[in-house]
Amino acid sequence: MEIIHVSAECYPVAKVGGLGDVVGALPKYQNKLGHFAKVVMPAYETRFMQENEFEVVYDGWGKLGFRDFTVRIFREKTNKLGFDLFLVHIAGLTDRPQVYGYEDDTERFLAFQIAILDWIEQWEHQPDVLHCHDHHTGLIPFMMSHCVRYRKLSRVPSVLTIHNAQYQGQFGWDKLHYIPAFDTWKSGQLDWKGAINPLAAAIKCAWRVTTVSPSYLEEIRYNANGLEELLAQERGKSVGILNGIDNEVWDPAKDPMLHKNFTIKTAENGKAANKEALCDVFGLNPTKPLFTFIGRLVGEKGADLLPDIFYNALNHFEGEVNILVLGSGDPQVEGRLMHLKNLFPKNYNAYIGYNEQLSHQIYAGADFLLMPSRVEPCGLNQMYALRYGTVPVVRRIGGLKDTVIDIGDGGFGICHDQTSIWDVGHAIGRAYELYKEKTRMKEIRKYMMQLDHSWDRAAQQYIDLYQM
């Protein structure tokens, strides 16, 4: 099968969150199954674009309402990611350093989607499936089905994967003219609660809809930022497929970003060496249990509670635990987390920003990873932690519930039910007690490092879905 993944992110080209990791790995594993998976994404001004070789495969122009724009599509020459990568350059729209956060994001991503369909429409053949990821590509199924210009593509199956239903890309009807001509009787396919809603349109028009974990599919029936009714209506074509991780990128035995590589057999010494190196950089005592948080400092991750959680824990344990934070997001949360460095200089530190290498080093050196999420459609961090022998401390929600079993239930993680200061604090206390049980900790670490969360299984599940 020829599978075209369309996404705003793809690691290592451009990554903001888990979407980038998924799109950077799933196509590679589908290709290993004998298929031809490709990725099409915007050409941002990134280091990847500057440091690699590309060839031009398409020059054209498009129309966004009354505005004309030029399009140039590049293909990465060496297939270094394990799949064909195509970057869509639209002058003045995609050629920016950041993925999101601009006032004209609606125009940027709509022009991107139009450019893709203009390009594919000119092919002499048709792909077997277009796989769209999140709302940034959500108008593609509608345009394929209803726009006159893309009538040729109307029978090409489309699949939507919802990575996070909280973000939907809504915009006003004053921008309807951006969308290429279609029968206005079909306008209802675009509408949800008085706005043009790309995610809702994709849910309505895609042939199949997936979420990134089975539990998240159930949860969005009552927590989908206003789309609950629609998702219930389209339940029959929806399925939850748990994300995997790229075991070639996330392999402690070969990871070039680590201070010292290790396997299951050498995990105790390997993690100790990585922990010592990490603590040396951040001024922490490597003999103490090291708790960490890695991710976006936003409400849905529970990050607004972290300053109070950490303050309470550091006070309660009186120098017996260390905490290290890596992330960025809400400026107020960032400020409060940085302030804790002044209060607990020997047991706490924080790196505000995004640093891929440091994240690998933390997974390898930490003892516990905290994920007190309010919303977690799948979560990949807990899978990275398991792979690197770091015990996940998670809320029972979404993909966390699907991947982490509490030690009290014969499992390998520590789970809590609410995103609250008390619940997370109690979980940290349980983790501290586990840390003191050296033999049990060693057995749990050995067990969880053997768990298989690779993309092999999920890649086949997606192939099966395409062929339904």
Side-chain angles (χ1 to χ4, degrees):
M1 299 181 72
E2 183 181 26
I3 305 152
I4 309 297
H5 289 274
V6 188
S7 174
E9 301 177 35
C10 175
Y11 177 80
V13 188
K15 170 187 167 181
V16 175
L19 170 61
D21 286 323
V22 171
V23 179
L26 175 56
K28 178 168 66 175
Y29 284 80
Q30 289 177 327
N31 285 345
K32 289 181 178 180
L33 294 173
H35 300 279
F36 300 97
K38 306 171 182 179
V39 171
V40 186
M41 65 178 296
Y44 308 113
E45 288 292 335
T46 64
R47 286 182 57 187
F48 188 93
M49 188 74 181
Q50 298 163 1
E51 295 175 357
N52 292 277
E53 294 186 28
F54 298 87
E55 62 180 355
V56 177
V57 296
Y58 174 77
D59 272 316
W61 62 274
K63 207 167 186 63
L64 188 69
F66 307 115
R67 172 183 179 179
D68 293 334
F69 58 85
T70 58
V71 180
R72 173 165 283 186
I73 298 179
F74 299 92
R75 184 181 73 85
E76 192 272 316
K77 281 187 175 182
T78 65
N79 201 253
K80 68 184 298 181
L81 303 185
F83 51 82
D84 279 342
L85 171 70
F86 297 91
L87 302 180
V88 179
H89 179 271
I90 303 173
L93 290 175
T94 64
D95 51 353
R96 301 182 191 176
Q98 303 300 320
V99 178
Y100 314 120
Y102 299 99
E103 291 185 355
D104 60 347
D105 275 357
T106 294
E107 287 77 8
R108 296 173 66 228
F109 290 109
L110 188 45
F112 165 63
Q113 294 171 81
I114 290 170
I116 290 171
L117 292 182
D118 285 346
W119 174 47
I120 294 176
E121 193 273 336
Q122 295 184 13
W123 292 4
E124 293 182 0
H125 71 286
Q126 293 186 343
D128 292 293
V129 61
L130 257 68
H131 191 148
C132 303
H133 295 267
D134 269 352
H135 74 82
H136 324 96
T137 63
L139 291 174
I140 286 177
F142 173 85
M143 292 192 289
M144 289 171 61
S145 299
H146 301 303
C147 288
V148 176
R149 190 191 306 178
Y150 310 124
R151 192 171 291 158
K152 174 182 172 183
L153 303 176
S154 63
R155 297 186 64 81
V156 176
S158 58
V159 171
L160 166 71
T161 292
I162 301 173
H163 296 259
N164 193 331
Q166 301 301 309
Y167 304 102
Q168 301 169 13
Q170 305 97 319
F171 57 93
W173 286 97
D174 58 314
K175 296 181 179 180
L176 177 64
H177 65 288
Y178 287 167
I179 300 173
F182 64 95
D183 183 349
T184 54
W185 283 96
K186 302 296 184 181
S187 295
Q189 298 288 299
L190 296 169
D191 177 72
W192 193 252
K193 298 189 176 180
I196 296 174
N197 186 313
L199 188 63
I203 293 168
K204 295 176 186 179
C205 297
W207 290 35
R208 295 283 186 272
V209 175
T210 77
T211 61
V212 291
S213 71
S215 289
Y216 188 55
L217 180 62
E218 297 305 314
E219 289 169 9
I220 57 177
R221 294 167 60 188
Y222 55 86
N223 182 17
N225 197 14
L227 293 180
E228 295 85 359
E229 181 183 350
L230 175 60
L231 287 159
Q233 294 170 3
E234 301 292 352
R235 184 66 174 84
K237 68 177 184 183
S238 304
V239 62
I241 298 177
L242 185 67
N243 281 343
I245 62 174
D246 190 339
N247 280 353
E248 295 178 6
V249 173
W250 296 93
D251 181 359
K254 300 178 181 177
D255 191 336
M257 302 184 193
L258 303 189
H259 175 74
K260 182 176 182 178
N261 294 113
F262 59 93
T263 65
I264 294 174
K265 291 183 178 180
T266 62
E268 295 307 306
N269 290 334
K271 283 191 69 69
N274 282 286
K275 182 179 182 180
E276 187 171 342
L278 193 64
C279 289
D280 184 58
V281 171
F282 288 98
L284 304 173
N285 184 344
T287 67
K288 310 296 183 183
L290 177 58
F291 292 81
T292 187
F293 174 91
I294 301 173
R296 291 181 295 123
L297 300 176
V298 295
E300 66 182 39
K301 301 295 184 184
D304 54 308
L305 302 182
L306 291 179
D308 293 318
I309 291 168
F310 294 159
Y311 179 85
N312 290 348
L314 291 164
N315 261 329
H316 177 75
F317 290 105
E318 298 180 330
E320 291 303 308
V321 301
N322 292 329
I323 297 174
L324 178 61
V325 176
L326 168 61
S328 63
D330 185 327
Q332 185 175 1
V333 175
E334 292 179 356
R336 294 184 66 201
L337 289 172
M338 291 299 285
H339 178 63
L340 289 176
K341 294 170 65 172
N342 301 323
L343 302 179
F344 305 97
K346 295 181 179 180
N347 297 99
Y348 173 87
N349 214 323
Y351 180 104
I352 301 301
Y354 168 74
N355 187 314
E356 186 73 19
Q357 180 170 344
L358 179 57
S359 72
H360 285 241
Q361 293 169 348
I362 294 176
Y363 286 119
D367 298 298
F368 301 97
L369 173 76
L370 301 173
M371 295 185 70
S373 304
R374 292 188 175 92
V375 178
E376 197 63 72
C378 176
L380 297 176
N381 288 11
Q382 79 277 14
M383 299 187 208
Y384 301 147
L386 294 169
R387 180 85 163 140
Y388 283 63
T390 297
V391 177
V393 181
V394 306
R395 183 188 173 199
R396 291 185 181 95
I397 193 168
L400 300 177
K401 184 165 61 177
D402 290 331
T403 53
V404 181
I405 301 172
D406 191 88
I407 56 174
D409 299 320
F412 44 83
I414 293 176
C415 303
H416 54 92
D417 291 320
Q418 301 298 327
T419 299
S420 69
I421 295 172
W422 189 91
D423 258 32
V424 181
H426 179 67
I428 291 174
R430 292 182 64 207
Y432 177 72
E433 293 302 317
L434 174 62
Y435 182 81
K436 292 191 293 184
E437 298 182 50
K438 298 300 182 183
T439 300
R440 189 182 184 194
M441 186 79 173
K442 185 176 181 179
E443 291 171 351
I444 287 174
R445 179 171 286 152
K446 181 178 179 180
Y447 176 80
M448 64 188 183
M449 288 183 69
Q450 296 179 71
L451 296 173
D452 182 13
H453 286 294
S454 72
W455 270 107
D456 296 311
R457 169 192 43 80
Q460 184 59 58
Q461 286 180 289
Y462 276 111
I463 298 300
D464 295 341
L465 179 76
Y466 302 152
Q467 295 173 337
M468 289 175 61

